[in-house]
Amino acid sequence: MRAPRAWLPPPAAEPPRRPLPRRFFARDTVTVARELVGCTLWTLAGDDLCAGRIVETEAYLDERDPASHAARGPTARSGVMFGPPGVAYVYLIYGVHHCLNVVAEAEGQAGAVLLRALEPLVGLPTMRRRRGGESRVAGDEPRAGDRALCAGPGRLCRALGVDLACNGLLLGARAARRTQPDPPVRVWIAAGRPPARLTAGPRIGISLAASRPLRFCDDCSPCLSRPAPAAPLDRPDRASGSF
DNA sequence: GAACCGATTGCCT
DNA sequence: GGCAATCGGTTCG
């Protein structure tokens, strides 16, 4: 008995690494949030390559969304949300954890998608080490405890080495090089396996506009930060694999 | 410049 | 289930 429990189906092959084109992000925030579920988030820090399948996102909109950092117009922190699409917006929460967002909408229009949970795919030993787990555990085979490695926005950032140094970076292995001569971490998003069932529900941890169904989950994933909302979306998610 | 608060997590009971 | 940790951003005086 080698595998105690198959917590995830083993990927047939390593997912594609090619970054999504910028036009993917230059659309309305809700569409981007829906279609990012199933895509693959990659980071490269030194020799440490990590990737995970995005299984949970939240959309944060413009000035009309009181729960969004953009609600009060651009500030020193939230200005990134008003900038060009396809850029990482990273901030510190509770003085302890980082949250990774992806800027959506056309430049000048605020919007960002919070990445809340991943299914770990590549670089599991690195993720375990960063999360303070068993550093001696080697190998990329998923273990039962790995389902929580990236189950939450703070955990996700910790596992993939994302911090404030990534704020404002253009997503893309090459783009990051252009933005900074030697960025400490390169971050990008590639296509992936679209969810069989996408559900929508209220965003987590907010009090304003709490009823709006702007949280999107792969209903079948064991790696969600909280249980998936019950309501399936009527329109199927289309494009995670089509870019 | 001081005070307050938060798109969270992990530990403790 | 409760709560402390911890600090940048924002607001208020």
Side-chain angles (χ1 to χ4, degrees):
Chain A
M1 285 282 287
R2 320 186 358 256
R5 183 151 54 143
W7 67 288
L8 272 181
E14 188 175 291
R17 296 188 190 183
R18 181 186 177 81
L20 290 171
R22 204 162 190 185
R23 66 176 186 276
F24 178 94
F25 303 100
R27 298 179 293 164
D28 76 273
T29 307
V30 172
T31 298
V32 175
R34 292 168 47 126
E35 297 191 6
L36 277 176
V37 176
C39 292
T40 310
L41 175 68
W42 293 83
T43 65
L44 178 64
D47 292 329
D48 288 323
L49 178 69
C50 291
R53 179 172 173 269
I54 298 168
V55 293
E56 183 179 346
T57 66
E58 286 180 358
Y60 286 87
L61 312 180
D62 59 12
E63 290 92 333
R64 292 164 297 180
D65 177 6
S68 170
H69 288 175
R72 283 184 286 266
T75 65
R77 174 174 63 163
S78 69
V80 175
M81 284 184 72
F82 294 77
V87 166
Y89 171 44
V90 182
Y91 62 88
L92 191 63
I93 183 92
Y94 297 105
V96 184
H97 307 290
H98 294 94
C99 290
L100 171 62
N101 298 249
V102 183
V103 177
E105 305 281 352
E107 184 164 5
Q109 172 74 30
V113 177
L114 172 66
L115 306 184
R116 287 192 56 90
L118 306 177
E119 289 173 0
L121 293 176
V122 175
L124 272 70
T126 299
M127 294 188 196
R128 295 185 192 112
R129 171 170 46 81
R130 286 174 174 152
R131 290 270 284 114
E134 314 157 67
S135 58
R136 289 163 300 177
V137 175
D140 273 331
E141 300 89 30
R143 301 158 56 87
D146 292 337
R147 72 182 68 202
L149 272 179
C150 304
R155 292 167 170 174
L156 176 163
C157 285
R158 173 71 79 90
L160 271 76
V162 171
D163 59 19
L164 289 178
C166 301
N167 186 41
L169 282 183
L170 192 54
L171 299 179
R174 281 172 316 195
R177 264 199 293 273
R178 279 202 303 276
T179 308
Q180 281 181 219
D182 187 20
V185 182
R186 290 176 197 152
V187 183
W188 69 99
I189 295 175
R193 176 172 56 84
R197 204 168 89 113
L198 186 71
T199 55
R203 293 172 290 185
I204 303 293
I206 62 166
S207 52
L208 300 169
S211 64
R212 303 190 65 179
L214 294 176
R215 172 179 177 238
F216 303 100
C217 295
D218 178 341
D219 191 41
C220 303
S221 176
C223 299
L224 300 176
S225 68
R226 307 277 180 92
L233 289 179
D234 44 356
R235 284 180 299 170
D237 175 53
R238 287 164 297 149
S240 303
S242 67
F243 269 80

